[in-house]
Amino acid sequence: MSSQAEAYASNNSAYVGSFDKGELSLPPSKKVIVVTCMDARIEPAGQLGIDLGEAHVIRNAGGSAKEALRSIIISQRLLGTREVAVYHHTDCGMLTFTTEQLRGIVRDASPGNEAVASAVNQIDFLEISNLEESVKDDVTFLKQNPLVLPESKITGWTYDVRSGKVAQVV
Amino acid sequence: MSSQAEAYASNNSAYVGSFDKGELSLPPSKKVIVVTCMDARIEPAGQLGIDLGEAHVIRNAGGSAKEALRSIIISQRLLGTREVAVYHHTDCGMLTFTTEQLRGIVRDASPGNEAVASAVNQIDFLEISNLEESVKDDVTFLKQNPLVLPESKITGWTYDVRSGKVAQVV
């Protein structure tokens, strides 16, 4: 196998053999959006007991609700979801650097490259400095945003990568 | 239960009881990033055979590599990944509307609300018009982006929500 994606294609062949969910419809049956981190130790379906077809799952570095806004609007306005649950987690990489530090790392890797410097200097990497505060901030962001439906139920949670346990923050 | 998130917390208690992966490290062991859609019928771990700790998984409406760029830079520069696999899927909601149409839906739901109109008019919803072309476009975007490491292995795939099967596009 020349790539992990090819290994995944091989794994997928086994999945197809027992697949029986082809009639699920597009709108999430539980009308819920899960926002969480891209972290490799996160696996929302197993960790939260999400069945196929139930929930939109948005994942990015840190589980940023700000970056998720585009997807949340689409989910609520076109596909009927009315609940958002935000999960950040312990030992998150986003706690370990600042935007200015990462911009420096990227610039230093391509010395004299103005295209790289100009592009990276425009990116806000959305780092966090405190796990629980970051959850509260994201929930507040969503509750106050004029593009998020006011009738939305919005909660915020932490996930502990050592114990596998979730805990509600807000 | 007053919310789906509370049901997930209850489900999580069972997960914790058999959890034995608390020693996994932060960097993805397979050095791979999976980019895919938030769609409720997508479940990357099961469908691709991704084990916990192996891969960063980025999900948003459509599986947009453009929106994933911030996360990809963090993943590559700070956590050592060197492969990106982009998956878009059949029957995607992003094939069914345009940014201008969705802006109109949001504006019409809050008539006379200038804050809503101003905010939504700034959002590019990143809709797609052709499934396979959208995969090729995202792979090209990543291959040409100066902030994505040139040594990255980047592939593009479709996932068929009726059959459960993946197919390589590029």
Side-chain angles (χ1 to χ4, degrees), chain A residues 94 96-108 116-128, chain B residues 73-74 78:
Chain A
M94 303 303 289
T96 66
F97 71 95
T98 67
T99 286
E100 203 42 65
Q101 287 169 342
L102 181 49
R103 286 176 179 167
I105 288 169
V106 173
R107 288 191 305 259
D108 290 350
V116 164
S118 169
V120 81
N121 287 345
Q122 294 172 45
I123 298 183
D124 181 348
F125 285 102
L126 302 175
E127 69 272 24
I128 62 179
Chain B
I73 295 167
I74 293 166
L78 299 178

Side-chain angles (χ1 to χ4, degrees), chain A residues 62-135:
Chain A
S64 167
K66 290 187 187 70
E67 189 171 272
L69 182 62
R70 174 188 69 92
S71 299
I72 291 171
I73 295 168
I74 292 166
S75 176
Q76 293 195 323
R77 306 295 179 134
L78 298 178
L79 294 165
T81 58
R82 290 296 180 272
E83 181 178 346
V84 185
V86 178
Y87 298 79
H88 294 177
H89 66 93
T90 61
D91 196 38
C92 185
M94 303 303 289
L95 288 157
T96 66
F97 71 95
T98 67
T99 286
E100 203 42 65
Q101 287 169 342
L102 181 49
R103 286 176 179 167
I105 288 169
V106 173
R107 288 191 305 259
D108 290 350
S110 300
N113 188 323
E114 290 300 324
V116 164
S118 169
V120 81
N121 287 345
Q122 294 172 45
I123 298 183
D124 181 348
F125 285 102
L126 302 175
E127 69 272 24
I128 62 179
S129 57
N130 177 284
L131 175 58
E132 297 206 348
E133 288 304 317
S134 76
V135 173

Side-chain angles (χ1 to χ4, degrees), chain A residues 1-7, chain B residues 30-35 72 76 80-87 138-140 142-143 148-157 168 170:
Chain A
M1 290 293 176
S2 65
S3 75
Q4 192 56 36
E6 286 168 7
Chain B
K30 298 291 189 183
K31 301 185 186 302
V32 60
I33 303 168
V34 168
V35 178
I72 290 170
Q76 292 195 324
T81 59
R82 290 295 180 271
E83 179 177 348
V84 186
V86 178
Y87 297 80
D138 268 8
V139 170
T140 299
L142 293 176
K143 286 187 171 175
V148 176
L149 291 173
E151 63 266 37
S152 309
K153 180 170 183 69
I154 304 173
T155 55
W157 304 74
Q168 186 162 12
V170 61

